[in-house]
Amino acid sequence: MTWELVLILVLAIPVILFPVAYVWYMNIGGLVAIVRRRRQARAAGKAAQAG
């Protein structure tokens, strides 16, 4: 492997992976928010039934 190819790979890989990682992070954040809302709704429903 020539040094030019190594340099291109070192520069290109973060440029390609950053948007992928950002979209992945946003999807995981959305799933976590949905789970939290469901837990809160379930706890509120149980509290309303008990009270």
Side-chain angles (χ1 to χ4, degrees):
M1 228 184 267
T2 63
W3 68 271
E4 293 94 353
L5 183 59
V6 173
L7 179 64
I8 290 170
L9 288 174
V10 166
L11 294 175
I13 288 173
V15 170
I16 293 168
L17 289 182
F18 179 74
V20 172
Y22 183 71
V23 169
W24 178 79
Y25 173 76
M26 295 299 286
N27 285 335
I28 296 299
L31 291 174
V32 169
I34 289 170
V35 169
R36 285 182 181 164
R37 285 188 207 136
R38 284 188 179 180
R39 284 184 182 171
Q40 288 175 351
R42 191 175 298 157
K46 286 183 180 179
Q49 289 177 354

